[in-house]
Amino acid sequence: MAKEHALLSTEIVNRGVESSGPDAGSPTFSVRVRRRLPDFLQSVNLKYVKLGYHYMISHGIYLMTLPVLVVIFGAEIGSLTKEELWQKVWDEASYDLATVLAFFAVLVFTISLYITSRPRPVYLIDFACYLPPEENKVSKEEFITLARKSGKFDEASLAFQSRILQSSGLGDETYMPQSVFAPGVNCATMKEGRAETSQAMFAALDELFEKCRVRPKDVSVLVVNCSLFNPTPSLSAMIVNHYKMRGNILSYNLGGMGCSAGIISVDLARDMLQANPGGYAVVVSTEAVSFTWYGGKRRSMLIPNCFFRSGCSAVLLSNRRRDFRRAKYSLEHIVRTHKGADERSFRSVYQEEDEERIKGLSISRDLLEVGGHALKANITTLGPLVLPFSEQLLFFAALLYRHFFPSKQSKASSPASTNAPYIPDYKRAFEHFCMHAASREVLDHLQRNLDLTDANLEASRAVLHRFGNTSSSSIWYELAYLESKGKVRAGDRVWQLAFGSGFKCNSAVWRAVRRVRKPTRSPWLGSIDRYPIGN
């Protein structure tokens, strides 16, 4: 029971002045009880740490053996004087042509085998984010006005959405398709969905191909993700048809994977490039807002109306080594976590019909809690791959101490006590953070649990305010923000973290291969100077 209470937070809400009844004219208040994000860094699961170290060791065994060989060779050479070394090389050794040729043949074979067996690095050449037209811009006040005019909501539902919007962290310049406010019309039609997604995808791809000077026929891998709208033919087929791409293109269409599908798509594109080296891969991430729109009365299904907004990103990847000169970033790590085996996690974001058979996306009250557990597993696995050795040593020593001597820790000990676990400083592993802009509440909990500064989450809060929750493309709007601010320098590491239905939490780590100049084309042009804004 105490553990359950620790996951709850209370908030006193001012309801204003009572207009009628026996208490008319007096102020009224209510207490709102919510589940909060678990303090996941205070309870680390050892198996995820083991998994992270397994990844590190399996991919970096040569880093451990090479220093040993260097030490042994250095000790052997260091014990000889200069004269003894020359005598050993030239006087005592006898060579023939066959020996020399055999030695060089083995050396060349070994080097060639190492180069060919090593995975090629994956580079991010450039990316583009869709800027919707001005007529689709809607403020929070206009949102409620248009929703009322549509006739799809009663006053209680409108009041609920208005309260959510005021605390959402969204600004007054987000974008929505006009079809969702059409009176008495079902906006979730195939025609509206195709029109909305094609407008966003083609605009982002046109900009991407122009910026990278790549022809659509040069693309060998295409991955498209859109969670709720999955027509036949697929969205990837729509792109192939529109740009008349090559007939042997490897195209994939991912649906129903939520806001973390952008990183999943990058992971799939990377695998396809490794299996088919020497080509380009394009990853398109979008969402059809008209298919997330809900016109009923169930409150858990009204929440997505308040957060999801129009957006799309297109990313060009390559594993051709000659593209290193013009690439912006290289992909270092991808860590994926899936909690779908747990029933609460599986149903935390669930598409279904309400009592009136109106389809919508239901958000569970357990979302913050299950999301916290997924985040805990993901960052614990990621830690050994990215944290400095000093942080890993302190963290792992503290973890082992708590694992083997649990009796020495008081159950009532506070996080500030000497028995509390050592919390790694992820700010020492990354210069930039692109956390999925889901809501202000989620970002607040992430900042508190990861001990991040306001500057670390500046990009996430700016995207939430300017564009809202654009689903799987939000992490790319955040990276575009960092570039527009001129913050990305050579060698900087960028952590993209996204989570979505399933429940999934995924991380991607990029390293800037050069200083990224301020882009001449960006969705932030015209508004970047207004950020960051005060809370």
Side-chain angles (χ1 to χ4, degrees):
M1 183 63 68
K3 183 178 179 181
E4 180 71 16
H5 287 168
L7 296 176
L8 301 178
S9 63
T10 58
E11 177 185 2
I12 298 178
V13 181
N14 185 356
R15 295 294 186 184
V17 178
E18 189 71 24
S19 59
S20 61
D23 298 325
S26 60
T28 58
F29 300 87
S30 63
V31 179
R32 179 182 298 164
V33 180
R34 293 180 175 178
R35 285 186 174 270
R36 63 178 178 85
L37 194 69
D39 196 359
F40 46 84
L41 286 178
Q42 296 293 336
S43 57
V44 178
N45 197 323
L46 185 61
K47 69 177 181 180
Y48 297 115
V49 180
K50 293 179 180 178
L51 182 61
Y53 278 100
H54 170 72
Y55 288 160
M56 180 182 66
I57 293 173
S58 62
H59 290 84
I61 190 67
Y62 62 92
L63 294 177
M64 301 190 332
T65 58
L66 186 60
V68 176
L69 295 177
V70 170
V71 169
I72 295 174
F73 183 75
E76 178 68 22
I77 297 299
S79 63
L80 301 175
T81 64
K82 184 176 181 180
E83 292 75 13
E84 291 173 338
L85 180 62
W86 281 107
Q87 183 179 6
K88 184 176 279 294
V89 172
W90 297 109
D91 297 342
E92 298 183 4
S94 59
Y95 303 97
D96 54 35
L97 182 61
T99 302
V100 173
L101 292 178
F103 171 77
F104 280 106
V106 172
L107 180 62
V108 171
F109 175 77
T110 303
I111 295 176
S112 302
L113 183 64
Y114 171 76
I115 293 176
T116 55
S117 61
R118 184 183 179 189
R120 290 193 178 196
V122 174
Y123 301 113
L124 190 159
I125 306 299
D126 211 335
F127 66 97
C129 295
Y130 168 61
L131 180 63
E134 284 294 311
E135 57 266 24
N136 287 4
K137 187 178 292 185
V138 58
S139 67
K140 289 178 286 190
E141 184 178 350
E142 291 171 338
F143 179 97
I144 299 300
T145 301
L146 293 172
R148 179 177 284 109
K149 290 181 179 179
S150 69
K152 301 175 183 178
F153 305 99
D154 57 19
E155 287 301 320
S157 298
L158 291 171
F160 174 76
Q161 293 179 87
S162 180
R163 292 196 300 270
I164 295 292
L165 283 171
Q166 295 307 316
S167 61
S168 64
L170 274 69
D172 290 327
E173 294 185 305
T174 59
Y175 301 89
M176 296 191 70
Q178 297 178 347
S179 61
V180 299
F181 298 113
V185 177
N186 177 22
C187 60
T189 63
M190 300 304 293
K191 180 180 179 180
E192 292 292 345
R194 285 193 173 97
E196 180 186 351
T197 53
S198 61
Q199 181 183 25
M201 293 189 307
F202 298 157
L205 286 168
D206 288 344
E207 180 181 337
L208 179 71
F209 291 141
E210 183 179 346
K211 289 168 66 174
C212 299
R213 299 179 183 177
V214 171
R215 300 177 305 169
K217 287 186 177 294
D218 295 332
V219 177
S220 57
V221 178
L222 173 64
V223 183
V224 181
N225 68 81
C226 182
S227 187
L228 296 182
F229 179 58
N230 294 283
T232 300
S234 65
L235 296 178
S236 60
M238 288 171 55
I239 294 175
V240 172
N241 175 262
H242 180 79
Y243 290 101
K244 311 304 178 188
M245 292 179 164
R246 60 169 70 175
N248 62 344
I249 189 172
L250 302 175
S251 65
Y252 301 88
N253 200 94
L254 306 182
M257 306 198 76
C259 302
S260 65
I263 296 178
I264 298 174
S265 300
V266 171
D267 191 23
L268 176 59
R270 177 186 63 173
D271 292 344
M272 291 301 100
L273 286 176
Q274 298 294 2
N276 303 273
Y280 290 117
V282 169
V283 174
V284 179
S285 301
T286 189
E287 188 57 84
V289 178
S290 56
F291 275 71
T292 67
W293 188 254
Y294 170 70
K297 300 178 182 179
R298 188 190 293 184
R299 294 195 169 185
S300 64
M301 302 172 76
L302 288 169
I303 295 176
N305 289 358
C306 304
F307 289 99
F308 284 104
R309 297 295 185 264
S310 300
C312 179
S313 65
V315 181
L316 181 66
L317 304 175
S318 171
N319 67 345
R320 304 190 305 178
R321 290 188 172 90
R322 62 177 177 270
D323 285 329
F324 172 81
R325 296 181 178 272
R326 68 188 189 114
K328 285 185 174 182
Y329 307 92
S330 63
L331 181 60
E332 293 201 335
H333 305 288
I334 289 183
V335 175
R336 294 169 55 181
T337 303
H338 202 306
K339 288 289 187 178
D342 175 66
E343 189 65 22
R344 286 200 307 160
S345 298
F346 176 72
R347 298 189 66 90
S348 59
V349 182
Y350 203 80
Q351 189 180 20
E352 58 183 347
E353 292 87 10
D354 64 5
E355 297 77 8
E356 300 177 1
R357 303 189 63 82
I358 301 177
K359 186 184 297 183
L361 197 63
S362 178
I363 306 296
S364 169
R365 294 181 179 180
D366 298 329
L367 180 62
L368 280 178
E369 182 182 349
V370 301
H373 293 307
L375 282 165
K376 178 183 69 175
N378 188 267
I379 66 173
T380 308
T381 306
L382 179 68
L385 301 174
V386 298
L387 288 170
F389 182 73
S390 59
E391 288 291 317
Q392 295 187 45
L393 186 62
L394 290 171
F395 173 66
F396 197 59
L399 187 65
L400 287 179
Y401 181 82
R402 288 167 55 84
H403 181 72
F404 289 111
F405 302 100
S407 59
K408 294 187 177 183
Q409 180 187 3
S410 171
K411 294 182 179 180
S413 62
S414 64
S417 68
T418 56
N419 288 325
Y422 178 75
I423 301 176
D425 186 2
Y426 282 87
K427 297 188 293 295
R428 298 189 61 187
F430 307 106
E431 284 74 31
H432 307 290
F433 297 80
C434 295
M435 305 292 186
H436 172 53
S439 69
R440 174 186 287 173
E441 185 179 11
V442 170
L443 293 178
D444 287 344
H445 285 296
L446 282 173
Q447 181 174 1
R448 182 164 53 253
N449 280 272
L450 290 175
D451 194 24
L452 301 178
T453 65
D454 291 338
N456 296 142
L457 286 183
E458 179 183 321
S460 299
R461 296 191 188 279
V463 168
L464 181 64
H465 185 272
R466 177 66 178 86
F467 295 98
N469 184 346
T470 61
S471 189
S472 56
S473 63
S474 67
I475 53 177
W476 297 106
Y477 283 87
E478 293 166 19
L479 188 55
Y481 175 87
L482 295 172
E483 291 187 356
S484 298
K485 283 289 186 179
K487 294 187 175 185
V488 184
R489 303 184 181 277
D492 284 359
R493 294 153 297 181
V494 181
W495 180 16
Q496 290 182 324
L497 185 142
F499 39 88
S501 58
F503 191 86
K504 298 179 288 293
C505 177
N506 302 316
S507 291
V509 179
W510 304 88
R511 183 181 292 272
V513 299
R514 57 184 171 86
R515 183 178 181 274
V516 179
R517 298 179 179 179
K518 293 184 179 181
T520 57
R521 299 185 64 177
S522 170
W524 291 98
L525 295 181
S527 61
I528 189 66
D529 295 333
R530 302 200 301 267
Y531 294 89
I533 59 174
N535 292 330

